Amino acid sequence: MTGWIILSIICVMLSPLVWMLPSRRQSTRMALRLEARRLGLGMQLAREEWPHWLLREPPGSCAQYHCPRRSAEPGQWQYWQTEPGKWVNRWREPCADERVMAHLQGLPGDVYKVEVDARMLSLYWGERGDAQVLQHINEAMKALARL
């Protein structure tokens, strides 16, 4: 009986340590982020003001993957994915640039936004997927950064 009491007390004392272990989802996301780092992509959690007209509400704090832009052409654009494969600008006009659209079409449905400025390409992603999805995103980002 005394052994059971001591074992119970030890279990009660150690149980808070179990709460500190990351969940499976957190471990998966961390593995994706480390793999993105190995591929040369930067990542940060960013707060974003999403347009009110998006059909599904993206999270308030979203993973922003970014890479430097290597194009000599100056340009700045933003496209949001309203439905899988449907990309629109802030005025809800479909993407008219075929070169850009060819790369945007293949992105997963949980990529919410892609934006480009003079120096940087950023992609806001819900991080659902595995290393193959990340590899596909990396290829699309590198191709878009050269446009």
Side-chain angles (χ1 to χ4, degrees):
M1 182 71 173
T2 306
W4 286 109
I5 292 173
I6 292 173
L7 184 63
S8 302
I9 291 172
I10 291 173
C11 288
V12 167
M13 290 174 52
L14 294 178
S15 65
L17 295 176
V18 174
W19 295 340
M20 294 176 66
L21 294 175
S23 68
R24 184 176 311 177
R25 185 175 184 186
Q26 290 171 333
S27 297
T28 303
R29 285 185 173 180
M30 187 48 108
L32 280 173
R33 293 170 183 173
L34 288 173
E35 181 64 23
R37 188 55 131 175
R38 282 188 212 104
L39 293 172
L41 299 175
M43 184 274 169
Q44 66 185 15
L45 290 176
R47 290 213 163 268
E48 184 70 21
E49 291 291 326
W50 301 104
H52 68 281
W53 43 262
L54 284 177
L55 298 176
R56 47 192 173 101
E57 183 72 24
S61 179
C62 189
Q64 176 194 32
Y65 288 81
H66 49 86
C67 66
R69 190 155 181 240
R70 296 177 182 89
S71 175
E73 291 182 33
Q76 186 171 350
W77 48 262
Q78 298 177 354
Y79 288 107
W80 288 267
Q81 186 169 212
T82 56
E83 299 171 11
K86 184 178 178 188
W87 291 87
V88 297
N89 63 13
R90 71 174 131 195
W91 297 285
R92 293 191 244 182
E93 297 168 339
C95 178
D97 189 345
E98 293 299 324
R99 297 180 310 155
V100 172
M101 195 60 182
H103 299 293
L104 294 179
Q105 285 289 357
L107 292 174
D110 63 335
V111 173
Y112 303 110
K113 176 183 175 183
V114 176
E115 68 179 329
V116 166
D117 61 16
R119 297 177 293 158
M120 189 76 62
L121 178 126
S122 301
L123 180 138
Y124 296 82
W125 181 32
E127 295 182 308
R128 291 185 194 97
D130 55 4
Q132 288 179 334
V133 174
L134 179 65
Q135 182 64 36
H136 184 68
I137 286 174
N138 178 48
E139 291 168 5
M141 285 182 71
K142 301 294 181 180
L144 286 169
R146 287 188 297 268
L147 294 180

